[in-house]
Amino acid sequence: MFSIGDLVVHPMHGAGVIADIVQEKTAGVTREYYVFKMPMGGLILKIPAANFQMIGVRAILSPGEVQALLEAIPGLKVESSANWNKRYQENLLRLKSGDLYEVARVVKSLMRRDQQRGLSTGERKMLHNARQIIVSEIVLVENCAYQEAESRLDRAMLQEAAV
């Protein structure tokens, strides 16, 4: 499905590259693994090729799709439960979906909550991870600096929706 050098996105870690495809024998069974490497942070994962789709790994967006996402962020509707546990679980499901629009909803709702009431340690970490997922994809798609991608995301998040 993927080849060495393909740019892909892991739903919980962000954008990276297929650095290698290896065969490994575990418990007497030989399996194929994609070696996923994130340029930012240097994270390296070995993901079983058979599980790639189930995990939600996908090809990165096109530049036009990234631009459409950034333009859509001000108009994204966000709701969040007053119950911390329910809110956390809903946001976790959004992150695991791999859908950048859902990840953007998580970022937007947590940024808004942080401004209004502050965030718990768990939600602060989730906000950081969600931002990282979006920023890492912008960096790879547009071949720009991390700070530039982060600034573009922040501008989109702080913009008000046109009425």
Side-chain angles (χ1 to χ4, degrees):
M1 184 166 153
F2 291 106
S3 303
I4 295 172
D6 285 353
L7 300 176
V8 297
V9 179
H10 186 289
M12 295 303 290
H13 297 288
V17 63
I18 303 295
D20 201 1
I21 300 172
V22 297
Q23 304 278 328
E24 290 191 6
K25 193 171 191 174
T26 307
V29 179
T30 301
R31 292 193 174 102
E32 187 172 79
Y33 292 85
Y34 289 113
V35 178
F36 171 80
K37 184 175 182 185
M38 285 189 61
M40 295 183 342
L43 175 72
I44 297 175
L45 299 173
K46 284 186 185 172
I47 305 169
N51 294 358
F52 238 48
Q53 279 190 307
M54 181 187 73
I55 292 169
V57 176
R58 61 174 173 76
I60 65 170
L61 299 177
S62 70
E65 290 170 318
V66 166
Q67 187 60 37
L69 170 72
L70 291 171
E71 290 171 1
I73 286 173
L76 287 179
K77 299 287 185 240
V78 293
E79 309 146 7
S80 67
S81 172
N83 178 298
W84 178 91
N85 192 39
K86 184 176 183 197
R87 185 173 62 245
Y88 188 86
Q89 292 302 319
E90 289 170 352
N91 284 335
L92 192 56
L93 286 174
R94 285 186 178 107
L95 288 179
K96 286 182 178 180
S97 76
D99 180 339
L100 267 193
Y101 287 86
E102 291 302 312
V103 176
R105 283 187 210 294
V106 171
V107 173
K108 190 171 182 176
S109 70
L110 290 177
M111 284 178 74
R112 183 174 291 162
R113 182 155 188 92
D114 191 25
Q115 289 173 344
Q116 294 169 350
R117 296 186 174 178
L119 296 175
S120 68
T121 303
E123 285 181 313
R124 189 166 307 286
K125 185 175 181 194
M126 181 178 277
L127 173 58
H128 174 76
N129 290 342
R131 286 174 52 82
Q132 193 75 12
I133 289 167
I134 296 173
V135 170
S136 69
E137 189 153 2
I138 294 170
V139 166
L140 281 185
V141 169
E142 299 190 346
N143 196 24
C144 65
Y146 181 88
Q147 291 79 11
E148 181 184 336
E150 200 172 38
S151 294
R152 290 185 64 204
L153 176 61
D154 288 342
R155 280 194 305 272
M157 286 294 167
L158 297 173
Q159 255 182 345
E160 294 297 321
V163 180

